[in-house]
């Protein structure tokens, strides 16, 4: 079946450093979504990418969809303690009816 | 506008007990789903529904039942709880399975 992988599993950074998480799918995706889950909280939608090579920015967050639409990345510039949490990517399953979530990247930011 | 409401927030069960996790949404979404979240495993789909009266299995359906009698409600039933079902359960809703998923606050379940 379809697999969505993310690396790294964990990342510890000093406040002010940059952070990147990578998402890879075993199949070509029609679109990809990113979610953030704060510790003890629930996943919250961040963004959806649809076009090949698409780049979207939300303040210090930059999201990119690969040219082959099989991978994506989330880059955070100058991390802050408010960025702490787990970041998940999700892509449509083979039937296009549900989303398959990656295992997530847990980010800790040391002040 | 409450969004997606899950009850209870915490629950402890003994092996073999049954219980129902409640999920309700007030956004008139057709699509609803249940996930379980275990450390390092991400979110795994248990069951989903594309509308009232229609349900289907996800990736990990064994040990769980669902029903969808109304658009608003999508309860998840554990008929005979097992320690392997200790997890955090999230309900989500959306206009469709391919749109933005809105998650409830979660139910933290321990089975002893």
């Amino acid at each position: 079946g379809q697999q969505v992988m993310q690396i790294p599993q964990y990342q510890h950074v000093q406040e002010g450093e940059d952070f990147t998480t990578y998402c890879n799918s075993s199949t070509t995706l029609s679109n990809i979504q990113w979610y953030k889950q704060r510790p003890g909280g629930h996943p919250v939608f961040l963004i959806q990418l649809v076009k090949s090579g698409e780049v979207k920015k939300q303040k210090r967050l930059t999201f990119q969809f690969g040219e082959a639409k099989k991978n994506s990345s989330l880059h955070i510039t100058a991390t802050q303690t408010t960025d702490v949490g787990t970041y998940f990517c999700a892509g449509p399953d083979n039937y296009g009816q549900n989303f398959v979530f990656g295992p997530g990247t847990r980010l800790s930011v040391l002040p | 506008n409450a969004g997606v409401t899950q009850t209870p927030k915490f629950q402890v069960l003994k092996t073999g007990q049954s219980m129902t996790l409640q999920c309700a949404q007030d956004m008139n979404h057709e699509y609803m789903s249940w996930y379980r979240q275990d450390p390092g495993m991400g979110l795994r789909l248990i069951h989903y529904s594309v509308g009232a009266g229609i349900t289907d299995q996800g990736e990990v359906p064994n040990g769980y039942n669902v029903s969808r009698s109304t658009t608003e409600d999508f309860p998840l039933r554990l008929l005979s709880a097992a320690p392997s079902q200790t997890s955090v359960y999230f309900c989500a809703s959306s206009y469709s399975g391919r749109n933005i998923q809105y998650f409830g606050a979660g139910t933290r379940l321990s089975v002893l």
Side-chain angles (χ1 to χ4, degrees):
Chain A
Q2 180 193 14
Q3 291 187 344
V4 177
M5 297 150 284
Q6 283 184 255
I7 54 170
Q9 188 175 2
Y10 301 98
Q11 184 79 56
H12 305 276
V13 300
Q14 205 72 35
E15 189 172 19
E17 291 182 337
D18 292 354
F19 159 77
T20 304
T21 174
Y22 299 91
C23 176
N24 293 288
S25 170
S26 57
T27 60
T28 302
L29 301 171
S30 58
N31 61 82
I32 194 161
Q33 295 179 348
W34 284 92
Y35 291 78
K36 176 184 178 181
Q37 183 179 24
R38 294 181 187 275
H42 59 279
V44 175
F45 173 81
L46 292 176
I47 207 159
Q48 178 167 287
L49 305 171
V50 178
K51 299 177 182 177
S52 168
E54 187 171 15
V55 177
K56 287 189 176 180
K57 292 188 176 183
Q58 290 180 350
K59 297 183 180 177
R60 295 177 294 103
L61 277 62
T62 302
F63 303 84
Q64 187 165 5
F65 201 7
E67 294 289 342
K69 302 184 77 173
K70 294 185 72 175
N71 57 74
S72 181
S73 65
L74 158 59
H75 178 82
I76 302 179
T77 304
T79 55
Q80 300 175 358
T81 54
T82 53
D83 296 323
V84 165
T86 301
Y87 293 85
F88 294 98
C89 63
D93 65 14
N94 291 334
Y95 306 101
Q97 200 162 21
N98 299 294
F99 268 84
V100 176
F101 282 80
T105 295
R106 183 183 295 179
L107 172 66
S108 1
V109 179
L110 305 174
Chain B
N1 192 344
V4 180
T5 303
Q6 286 185 241
T7 57
K9 287 186 168 48
F10 302 94
Q11 184 71 49
V12 179
L13 293 177
K14 294 181 179 179
T15 298
Q17 286 185 317
S18 63
M19 81 160 295
T20 299
L21 307 185
Q22 301 291 344
C23 176
Q25 54 93 7
D26 61 1
M27 295 176 281
N28 202 31
H29 286 162
E30 290 294 327
Y31 178 92
M32 296 185 74
S33 56
W34 278 101
Y35 294 88
R36 61 177 289 171
Q37 184 175 35
D38 303 295
M41 301 292 291
L43 293 155
R44 292 186 292 169
L45 184 65
I46 305 172
H47 285 284
Y48 66 97
S49 169
V50 298
I54 306 170
T55 64
D56 208 343
Q57 296 181 350
E59 179 187 357
V60 288
N62 293 340
Y64 308 95
N65 282 345
V66 292
S67 61
R68 184 95 179 269
S69 56
T70 67
T71 299
E72 294 77 20
D73 300 300
F74 191 42
L76 178 72
R77 297 184 185 85
L78 284 71
L79 296 179
S80 180
S84 60
Q85 293 178 305
T86 294
S87 189
V88 181
Y89 292 86
F90 289 102
C91 177
S93 76
S94 173
Y95 287 110
S96 80
R98 302 179 69 176
N99 287 97
I100 299 169
Q101 306 289 314
Y102 295 88
F103 286 83
T107 295
R108 284 149 182 81
L109 176 67
S110 293
V111 182
L112 307 177

